[in-house]
Amino acid sequence: MTTRRLPLPAPWTYGFLFALAMWIATTAYAGIGSAGATLSSAIVFGAFSVVVGTGQMFVIASGPGNIDLSIPSVLTLSAYVSMTAMGGRDDLVLVGLLAALAVGAAAGALNFLAITLLRLPPIIATLAWSFIFQSFAFNFGGEATLKPPSLLSQFAVWRVAGIQVMPLAVILVTVAAAVALRRSVWGRQLLAVGQSEPAAAFAGIPVKRVRLTAYVLCSTMAGLAAFLLAGFTGGAALNMGDAYLLESIAVVVLGGTSIAGGQANAVGIWGAALFFNLMATMLNTFGIEVGVRLVLTGVLIILVVAVVPRGRTG
Amino acid sequence: MADTAVSRPSAGSFVVPFRRWTGVGLPTLALLVMLAIIFWIRPAAMSYFGFTLLFKLAIPLVFAALAQMLVVMLGDIDLANGAFVGLITCVSAVYLADQPLVAIAIYLLLIASYAGVGLLIHTRQLPSIVVTLGLSFIWLGLAVMVLPAPGGQAPAWLSAFVGWRPPLLPLPLWLAAAAALAAHLVVSRSSIGAVLRGAGANPRAVERSGWSVLAIRVCVYAASGFLAILAGLLLTGLTTSGDANIAPAYTLLGVGAVILGGGAFTGGIVSPVGTVIGAMTLALAGSLLSFLQVPSTWQIGSQGFILFLVLAGRVLLGEKPS
């Protein structure tokens, strides 16, 4: 037996480790037969969290204090606009996708404009916009749920050889984000800006343009999530984005990205998203009442942040 | 104002009174303009009864915003504030009438857990945004356990208190003025207030001069919990029942009120009077639109718009917000 201390696993792996533990616990309770179904549903629901989380990650990585609180309202508004643009017609699916992405991109640009022109803290700027976007969504859709075209609904649950395509597409998004962070010029500039804005500016990095891109990307991802989610859940609804305010921040932080910015991990978001969804499944399977389930969710979030070692303190 | 001087040594002495003026002045101006519009449309609202109706629902938000302000003063943020107020309405509606001692014991326990959160955030150097995010799930879960569906009954004395008609001014204005004055004296005027703000602006300096920033954080979090309990109690009295999901908007409206009132996330820069007026401004923004007969779907948007408008005013006046 060696007495050497094992090196601690990297922070971003903790989400996966905790997710694995939840999965094993669920399977031990419900029987091995349900293991596959548990995991595949966690992957599908996790995919939506990953899309919004990846966007939030770009914003959070762009420096201390940067955060996007408008994600839920952008998501809801994009879903309404996109569903209206398609009007339930299969041949307009591409138009709907473009509409969702365009609403997202515009929202991101507005967020950043408010931050720079009015010199507001990002929390306040994105919060004020989120109120306004929410009102737009109210007026656009009202209380009604707008139905997606059947082609989109089919895509959301489309399987090739038993494997769901939609989560696979989201995995590709994650890979693209990870490569962009590590290899692309913009990714390196984003992390540099996040670490020290003055240093990045002295190094000739266009700080504003880099941040603008981060905010636009973030809202565009929310638009993408809206499009997919509306297809999956059967339409745009007023409260469809609500859960993603806290979740988008939680998956980013639990995924190993520093809340202080300058350091990001795209792959870890998957671990955190799986952890969240498997935890929900586990507490459901145990037949725990909803109040206790919420409390345990909160305790686990705090526990995970408290035990995961951080390279840079936030 | 040692804290402002510490964080902005090059700003010069003019900036401090100017910032204080714009911090309180702009939301006050916005509030007066909105009131003027309302009174112009409905002169009848300019009465004791009218003021009571207009500001009734602003009062719980005022206390929730002050609770948020204390946390922002330390450079932290409390994303669980609204869920906590919801929990308090549930506890109050279920226990306060019949088992007041149980209710008080729960309140004390909750204040202690707020202090515990401050302890955890400080000792483990955790980002408050994530801890309070987890905490919001805990408060909501506890509230649902106490009261699974909206209901319960506020004690008669509590409903009677919020319906009380004191002399001279309507109750909401008395409460707002008292809260603003008390918080102003403690946070902005007292020597301990300078230390508290210093703990947010420059913790190392405060630590070096012999204070324990840990103890300060624990106490300030406990005080924040206390103020949020007051907010919950007043809200219970107004709605005469409890609801776990009644106040999620308080979290972000509270943050908005703090910033509107001249606060900043950098820590140490907060204005209690500004926060109180900011909260009343945001609360009134909603009712203004119903006076203008704008559909209620635009109400929440109007709060965003007012936030932008007032904060844009600050930029126009040449201040550099942090």
mmCIF file of all heavy atoms in Angstrom, chain A residues 131-163:
data_model
loop_
_atom_site.group_PDB
_atom_site.id
_atom_site.type_symbol
_atom_site.label_atom_id
_atom_site.label_comp_id
_atom_site.label_asym_id
_atom_site.label_seq_id
_atom_site.Cartn_x
_atom_site.Cartn_y
_atom_site.Cartn_z
ATOM 1 N N PHE A 131 -36.723 42.305 -17.678
ATOM 2 C CA PHE A 131 -38.081 42.778 -17.409
ATOM 3 C C PHE A 131 -38.766 43.186 -18.716
ATOM 4 O O PHE A 131 -39.926 42.880 -18.957
ATOM 5 C CB PHE A 131 -38.064 43.976 -16.448
ATOM 6 C CG PHE A 131 -37.707 43.620 -15.024
ATOM 7 C CD1 PHE A 131 -37.252 44.582 -14.145
ATOM 8 C CD2 PHE A 131 -37.846 42.320 -14.563
ATOM 9 C CE1 PHE A 131 -36.927 44.263 -12.830
ATOM 10 C CE2 PHE A 131 -37.533 41.991 -13.251
ATOM 11 C CZ PHE A 131 -37.067 42.969 -12.387
ATOM 12 N N ILE A 132 -38.003 43.908 -19.536
ATOM 13 C CA ILE A 132 -38.585 44.419 -20.782
ATOM 14 C C ILE A 132 -38.875 43.280 -21.758
ATOM 15 O O ILE A 132 -39.964 43.204 -22.329
ATOM 16 C CB ILE A 132 -37.649 45.484 -21.392
ATOM 17 C CG1 ILE A 132 -37.588 46.692 -20.451
ATOM 18 C CG2 ILE A 132 -38.117 45.894 -22.783
ATOM 19 C CD1 ILE A 132 -36.562 47.725 -20.810
ATOM 20 N N PHE A 133 -37.909 42.348 -21.903
ATOM 21 C CA PHE A 133 -38.141 41.192 -22.787
ATOM 22 C C PHE A 133 -39.359 40.396 -22.320
ATOM 23 O O PHE A 133 -40.138 39.894 -23.119
ATOM 24 C CB PHE A 133 -36.924 40.269 -22.810
ATOM 25 C CG PHE A 133 -35.690 40.886 -23.392
ATOM 26 C CD1 PHE A 133 -34.434 40.528 -22.944
ATOM 27 C CD2 PHE A 133 -35.786 41.836 -24.402
ATOM 28 C CE1 PHE A 133 -33.293 41.103 -23.471
ATOM 29 C CE2 PHE A 133 -34.651 42.417 -24.939
ATOM 30 C CZ PHE A 133 -33.402 42.050 -24.472
ATOM 31 N N GLN A 134 -39.497 40.277 -21.005
ATOM 32 C CA GLN A 134 -40.611 39.527 -20.438
ATOM 33 C C GLN A 134 -41.937 40.155 -20.856
ATOM 34 O O GLN A 134 -42.871 39.462 -21.232
ATOM 35 C CB GLN A 134 -40.482 39.559 -18.921
ATOM 36 C CG GLN A 134 -40.829 38.267 -18.229
ATOM 37 C CD GLN A 134 -40.452 38.375 -16.766
ATOM 38 O OE1 GLN A 134 -39.373 38.871 -16.438
ATOM 39 N NE2 GLN A 134 -41.313 37.923 -15.884
ATOM 40 N N SER A 135 -41.982 41.500 -20.793
ATOM 41 C CA SER A 135 -43.193 42.194 -21.218
ATOM 42 C C SER A 135 -43.464 41.953 -22.704
ATOM 43 O O SER A 135 -44.600 41.758 -23.108
ATOM 44 C CB SER A 135 -43.067 43.690 -20.951
ATOM 45 O OG SER A 135 -43.696 44.016 -19.740
ATOM 46 N N PHE A 136 -42.387 41.962 -23.507
ATOM 47 C CA PHE A 136 -42.562 41.677 -24.935
ATOM 48 C C PHE A 136 -43.164 40.290 -25.127
ATOM 49 O O PHE A 136 -44.081 40.097 -25.920
ATOM 50 C CB PHE A 136 -41.217 41.769 -25.668
ATOM 51 C CG PHE A 136 -40.871 43.157 -26.120
ATOM 52 C CD1 PHE A 136 -39.762 43.812 -25.618
ATOM 53 C CD2 PHE A 136 -41.664 43.798 -27.057
ATOM 54 C CE1 PHE A 136 -39.448 45.096 -26.032
ATOM 55 C CE2 PHE A 136 -41.356 45.075 -27.475
ATOM 56 C CZ PHE A 136 -40.248 45.733 -26.955
ATOM 57 N N ALA A 137 -42.637 39.320 -24.385
ATOM 58 C CA ALA A 137 -43.143 37.949 -24.520
ATOM 59 C C ALA A 137 -44.609 37.877 -24.113
ATOM 60 O O ALA A 137 -45.418 37.237 -24.779
ATOM 61 C CB ALA A 137 -42.300 36.991 -23.677
ATOM 62 N N PHE A 138 -44.958 38.564 -23.024
ATOM 63 C CA PHE A 138 -46.359 38.625 -22.583
ATOM 64 C C PHE A 138 -47.240 39.100 -23.723
ATOM 65 O O PHE A 138 -48.294 38.543 -24.011
ATOM 66 C CB PHE A 138 -46.526 39.640 -21.446
ATOM 67 C CG PHE A 138 -46.324 39.085 -20.076
ATOM 68 C CD1 PHE A 138 -45.494 39.733 -19.170
ATOM 69 C CD2 PHE A 138 -46.977 37.935 -19.671
ATOM 70 C CE1 PHE A 138 -45.315 39.236 -17.894
ATOM 71 C CE2 PHE A 138 -46.803 37.431 -18.406
ATOM 72 C CZ PHE A 138 -45.964 38.081 -17.510
ATOM 73 N N ASN A 139 -46.811 40.198 -24.374
ATOM 74 C CA ASN A 139 -47.642 40.805 -25.389
ATOM 75 C C ASN A 139 -47.638 40.009 -26.684
ATOM 76 O O ASN A 139 -48.573 40.078 -27.458
ATOM 77 C CB ASN A 139 -47.176 42.241 -25.645
ATOM 78 C CG ASN A 139 -47.565 43.140 -24.498
ATOM 79 O OD1 ASN A 139 -48.730 43.443 -24.316
ATOM 80 N ND2 ASN A 139 -46.606 43.512 -23.680
ATOM 81 N N PHE A 140 -46.546 39.295 -26.909
ATOM 82 C CA PHE A 140 -46.437 38.514 -28.130
ATOM 83 C C PHE A 140 -47.342 37.294 -28.063
ATOM 84 O O PHE A 140 -48.114 37.027 -28.970
ATOM 85 C CB PHE A 140 -44.988 38.067 -28.319
ATOM 86 C CG PHE A 140 -44.555 38.135 -29.724
ATOM 87 C CD1 PHE A 140 -43.834 39.217 -30.203
ATOM 88 C CD2 PHE A 140 -44.868 37.105 -30.601
ATOM 89 C CE1 PHE A 140 -43.437 39.295 -31.513
ATOM 90 C CE2 PHE A 140 -44.489 37.173 -31.911
ATOM 91 C CZ PHE A 140 -43.772 38.262 -32.374
ATOM 92 N N GLY A 141 -47.244 36.577 -26.970
ATOM 93 C CA GLY A 141 -47.936 35.293 -26.936
ATOM 94 C C GLY A 141 -49.138 35.260 -26.021
ATOM 95 O O GLY A 141 -50.019 34.434 -26.179
ATOM 96 N N GLY A 142 -49.168 36.153 -25.061
ATOM 97 C CA GLY A 142 -50.237 36.070 -24.078
ATOM 98 C C GLY A 142 -50.136 34.772 -23.302
ATOM 99 O O GLY A 142 -49.054 34.203 -23.152
ATOM 100 N N GLU A 143 -51.260 34.296 -22.842
ATOM 101 C CA GLU A 143 -51.249 33.103 -22.013
ATOM 102 C C GLU A 143 -51.190 31.827 -22.849
ATOM 103 O O GLU A 143 -50.915 30.751 -22.339
ATOM 104 C CB GLU A 143 -52.499 33.075 -21.116
ATOM 105 C CG GLU A 143 -52.600 34.249 -20.155
ATOM 106 C CD GLU A 143 -51.532 34.204 -19.066
ATOM 107 O OE1 GLU A 143 -51.148 33.095 -18.672
ATOM 108 O OE2 GLU A 143 -51.078 35.266 -18.624
ATOM 109 N N ALA A 144 -51.470 31.962 -24.158
ATOM 110 C CA ALA A 144 -51.598 30.767 -24.981
ATOM 111 C C ALA A 144 -50.246 30.096 -25.211
ATOM 112 O O ALA A 144 -49.205 30.737 -25.183
ATOM 113 C CB ALA A 144 -52.221 31.135 -26.313
ATOM 114 N N THR A 145 -50.268 28.811 -25.417
ATOM 115 C CA THR A 145 -49.077 28.079 -25.812
ATOM 116 C C THR A 145 -49.081 27.964 -27.329
ATOM 117 O O THR A 145 -50.054 27.509 -27.910
ATOM 118 C CB THR A 145 -49.085 26.675 -25.195
ATOM 119 O OG1 THR A 145 -49.143 26.809 -23.788
ATOM 120 C CG2 THR A 145 -47.843 25.912 -25.568
ATOM 121 N N LEU A 146 -47.984 28.436 -27.976
ATOM 122 C CA LEU A 146 -47.906 28.369 -29.430
ATOM 123 C C LEU A 146 -47.269 27.038 -29.816
ATOM 124 O O LEU A 146 -46.198 26.706 -29.357
ATOM 125 C CB LEU A 146 -47.091 29.540 -29.981
ATOM 126 C CG LEU A 146 -47.632 30.938 -29.672
ATOM 127 C CD1 LEU A 146 -46.763 31.992 -30.332
ATOM 128 C CD2 LEU A 146 -49.074 31.072 -30.160
ATOM 129 N N LYS A 147 -47.952 26.305 -30.686
ATOM 130 C CA LYS A 147 -47.488 24.964 -31.061
ATOM 131 C C LYS A 147 -46.357 25.024 -32.080
ATOM 132 O O LYS A 147 -46.343 25.874 -32.959
ATOM 133 C CB LYS A 147 -48.652 24.176 -31.644
ATOM 134 C CG LYS A 147 -49.751 23.884 -30.638
ATOM 135 C CD LYS A 147 -49.591 22.499 -30.050
ATOM 136 C CE LYS A 147 -50.545 22.264 -28.896
ATOM 137 N NZ LYS A 147 -50.156 23.032 -27.678
ATOM 138 N N PRO A 148 -45.394 24.105 -31.969
ATOM 139 C CA PRO A 148 -44.328 24.018 -32.975
ATOM 140 C C PRO A 148 -44.798 23.188 -34.153
ATOM 141 O O PRO A 148 -45.746 22.418 -34.028
ATOM 142 C CB PRO A 148 -43.215 23.280 -32.223
ATOM 143 C CG PRO A 148 -43.949 22.411 -31.262
ATOM 144 C CD PRO A 148 -45.221 23.121 -30.898
ATOM 145 N N PRO A 149 -44.121 23.350 -35.340
ATOM 146 C CA PRO A 149 -44.438 22.468 -36.465
ATOM 147 C C PRO A 149 -44.058 21.032 -36.113
ATOM 148 O O PRO A 149 -43.151 20.810 -35.305
ATOM 149 C CB PRO A 149 -43.569 23.006 -37.593
ATOM 150 C CG PRO A 149 -42.792 24.137 -37.066
ATOM 151 C CD PRO A 149 -43.060 24.295 -35.623
ATOM 152 N N SER A 150 -44.722 20.071 -36.755
ATOM 153 C CA SER A 150 -44.475 18.681 -36.365
ATOM 154 C C SER A 150 -43.054 18.246 -36.701
ATOM 155 O O SER A 150 -42.466 17.422 -36.006
ATOM 156 C CB SER A 150 -45.492 17.767 -37.043
ATOM 157 O OG SER A 150 -45.407 17.945 -38.441
ATOM 158 N N LEU A 151 -42.478 18.848 -37.758
ATOM 159 C CA LEU A 151 -41.109 18.473 -38.121
ATOM 160 C C LEU A 151 -40.147 18.759 -36.968
ATOM 161 O O LEU A 151 -39.275 17.947 -36.636
ATOM 162 C CB LEU A 151 -40.688 19.266 -39.372
ATOM 163 C CG LEU A 151 -39.346 18.859 -39.987
ATOM 164 C CD1 LEU A 151 -39.435 17.458 -40.553
ATOM 165 C CD2 LEU A 151 -38.950 19.839 -41.088
ATOM 166 N N LEU A 152 -40.322 19.918 -36.311
ATOM 167 C CA LEU A 152 -39.445 20.292 -35.205
ATOM 168 C C LEU A 152 -39.655 19.350 -34.021
ATOM 169 O O LEU A 152 -38.696 18.895 -33.389
ATOM 170 C CB LEU A 152 -39.721 21.744 -34.795
ATOM 171 C CG LEU A 152 -38.950 22.271 -33.579
ATOM 172 C CD1 LEU A 152 -37.455 22.155 -33.805
ATOM 173 C CD2 LEU A 152 -39.320 23.715 -33.296
ATOM 174 N N SER A 153 -40.924 19.038 -33.733
ATOM 175 C CA SER A 153 -41.199 18.104 -32.637
ATOM 176 C C SER A 153 -40.558 16.759 -32.912
ATOM 177 O O SER A 153 -40.001 16.118 -32.014
ATOM 178 C CB SER A 153 -42.706 17.913 -32.466
ATOM 179 O OG SER A 153 -43.331 19.147 -32.357
ATOM 180 N N GLN A 154 -40.624 16.345 -34.182
ATOM 181 C CA GLN A 154 -40.015 15.052 -34.513
ATOM 182 C C GLN A 154 -38.503 15.099 -34.353
ATOM 183 O O GLN A 154 -37.892 14.163 -33.845
ATOM 184 C CB GLN A 154 -40.376 14.657 -35.948
ATOM 185 C CG GLN A 154 -41.791 14.114 -36.075
ATOM 186 C CD GLN A 154 -42.290 14.160 -37.498
ATOM 187 O OE1 GLN A 154 -41.501 14.331 -38.445
ATOM 188 N NE2 GLN A 154 -43.589 14.022 -37.671
ATOM 189 N N PHE A 155 -37.907 16.235 -34.767
ATOM 190 C CA PHE A 155 -36.445 16.340 -34.647
ATOM 191 C C PHE A 155 -36.026 16.243 -33.181
ATOM 192 O O PHE A 155 -35.038 15.604 -32.851
ATOM 193 C CB PHE A 155 -35.937 17.660 -35.232
ATOM 194 C CG PHE A 155 -34.476 17.895 -34.945
ATOM 195 C CD1 PHE A 155 -33.505 17.198 -35.652
ATOM 196 C CD2 PHE A 155 -34.076 18.773 -33.940
ATOM 197 C CE1 PHE A 155 -32.161 17.381 -35.363
ATOM 198 C CE2 PHE A 155 -32.732 18.956 -33.652
ATOM 199 C CZ PHE A 155 -31.770 18.255 -34.372
ATOM 200 N N ALA A 156 -36.819 16.867 -32.302
ATOM 201 C CA ALA A 156 -36.435 16.914 -30.889
ATOM 202 C C ALA A 156 -36.364 15.517 -30.282
ATOM 203 O O ALA A 156 -35.621 15.293 -29.321
ATOM 204 C CB ALA A 156 -37.417 17.793 -30.110
ATOM 205 N N VAL A 157 -37.132 14.576 -30.808
ATOM 206 C CA VAL A 157 -37.088 13.222 -30.244
ATOM 207 C C VAL A 157 -36.571 12.207 -31.270
ATOM 208 O O VAL A 157 -36.725 11.002 -31.103
ATOM 209 C CB VAL A 157 -38.491 12.783 -29.740
ATOM 210 C CG1 VAL A 157 -38.906 13.596 -28.539
ATOM 211 C CG2 VAL A 157 -39.519 12.900 -30.839
ATOM 212 N N TRP A 158 -35.954 12.717 -32.357
ATOM 213 C CA TRP A 158 -35.475 11.865 -33.446
ATOM 214 C C TRP A 158 -34.347 10.958 -32.966
ATOM 215 O O TRP A 158 -33.420 11.403 -32.309
ATOM 216 C CB TRP A 158 -35.004 12.776 -34.586
ATOM 217 C CG TRP A 158 -34.546 12.067 -35.815
ATOM 218 C CD1 TRP A 158 -35.000 10.881 -36.303
ATOM 219 C CD2 TRP A 158 -33.530 12.513 -36.726
ATOM 220 N NE1 TRP A 158 -34.353 10.573 -37.463
ATOM 221 C CE2 TRP A 158 -33.443 11.539 -37.759
ATOM 222 C CE3 TRP A 158 -32.697 13.644 -36.794
ATOM 223 C CZ2 TRP A 158 -32.546 11.660 -38.816
ATOM 224 C CZ3 TRP A 158 -31.813 13.765 -37.850
ATOM 225 C CH2 TRP A 158 -31.740 12.775 -38.841
ATOM 226 N N ARG A 159 -34.453 9.668 -33.302
ATOM 227 C CA ARG A 159 -33.396 8.724 -32.950
ATOM 228 C C ARG A 159 -32.840 8.074 -34.195
ATOM 229 O O ARG A 159 -33.582 7.695 -35.089
ATOM 230 C CB ARG A 159 -33.948 7.601 -32.057
ATOM 231 C CG ARG A 159 -34.167 8.010 -30.629
ATOM 232 C CD ARG A 159 -35.058 6.979 -29.943
ATOM 233 N NE ARG A 159 -35.385 7.404 -28.597
ATOM 234 C CZ ARG A 159 -34.636 7.099 -27.534
ATOM 235 N NH1 ARG A 159 -33.555 6.366 -27.666
ATOM 236 N NH2 ARG A 159 -34.977 7.538 -26.342
ATOM 237 N N VAL A 160 -31.521 7.970 -34.257
ATOM 238 C CA VAL A 160 -30.886 7.203 -35.318
ATOM 239 C C VAL A 160 -30.207 6.029 -34.640
ATOM 240 O O VAL A 160 -29.362 6.224 -33.760
ATOM 241 C CB VAL A 160 -29.860 8.057 -36.096
ATOM 242 C CG1 VAL A 160 -29.081 7.178 -37.062
ATOM 243 C CG2 VAL A 160 -30.561 9.173 -36.836
ATOM 244 N N ALA A 161 -30.596 4.824 -35.003
ATOM 245 C CA ALA A 161 -30.051 3.609 -34.405
ATOM 246 C C ALA A 161 -30.157 3.675 -32.877
ATOM 247 O O ALA A 161 -29.228 3.328 -32.147
ATOM 248 C CB ALA A 161 -28.600 3.390 -34.837
ATOM 249 N N GLY A 162 -31.267 4.167 -32.401
ATOM 250 C CA GLY A 162 -31.509 4.173 -30.957
ATOM 251 C C GLY A 162 -30.841 5.322 -30.222
ATOM 252 O O GLY A 162 -31.028 5.481 -29.028
ATOM 253 N N ILE A 163 -30.051 6.129 -30.957
ATOM 254 C CA ILE A 163 -29.368 7.238 -30.278
ATOM 255 C C ILE A 163 -30.080 8.543 -30.628
ATOM 256 O O ILE A 163 -30.352 8.813 -31.799
ATOM 257 C CB ILE A 163 -27.892 7.304 -30.701
ATOM 258 C CG1 ILE A 163 -27.185 6.033 -30.217
ATOM 259 C CG2 ILE A 163 -27.225 8.547 -30.132
ATOM 260 C CD1 ILE A 163 -25.827 5.836 -30.812
#
